[in-house]
């Protein structure tokens, strides 16, 4: 089972199209910071804010 989250953040996302699929990569990762100590930095033990969320619904072990 696969869940796709169409969240481009900016027009056309990264502008990179994946092969000949016609799907572009998202740019939502630019919400994160690599600067230590910032509120949304990627550091061990932290849970940076993210708006991306998927829901997979199951019923008796089968996709519903």
């Amino acid at each position: 089972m696969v869940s796709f989250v169409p969240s481009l953040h900016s027009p056309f996302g990264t502008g990179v199209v994946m092969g000949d699929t016609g799907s572009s990569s998202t740019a939502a990762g630019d919400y994160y910071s690599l600067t230590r100590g910032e509120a949304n930095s990627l550091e061990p033990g932290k849970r940076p804010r993210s708006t991306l969320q998927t829901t997979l619904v199951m019923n008796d072990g089968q996709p519903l």
Side-chain angles (χ1 to χ4, degrees):
M1 186 174 2
V2 176
S3 178
F4 290 99
V5 179
S7 177
L8 294 178
H9 171 63
S10 57
F12 305 108
T14 60
V16 176
V17 176
M18 296 178 280
D20 60 357
T21 64
S23 297
S24 63
S25 298
T26 68
D30 67 357
Y31 285 125
Y32 305 127
S33 172
L34 298 178
T35 303
R36 191 170 188 86
E38 288 192 3
N40 218 35
S41 62
L42 295 174
E43 296 180 39
K46 289 188 73 177
R47 296 179 66 187
R49 177 189 74 86
S50 175
T51 58
L52 302 178
Q53 174 181 318
T54 62
T55 301
L56 302 174
V57 179
M58 306 289 287
N59 184 19
D60 293 329
Q62 296 295 314
L64 180 64

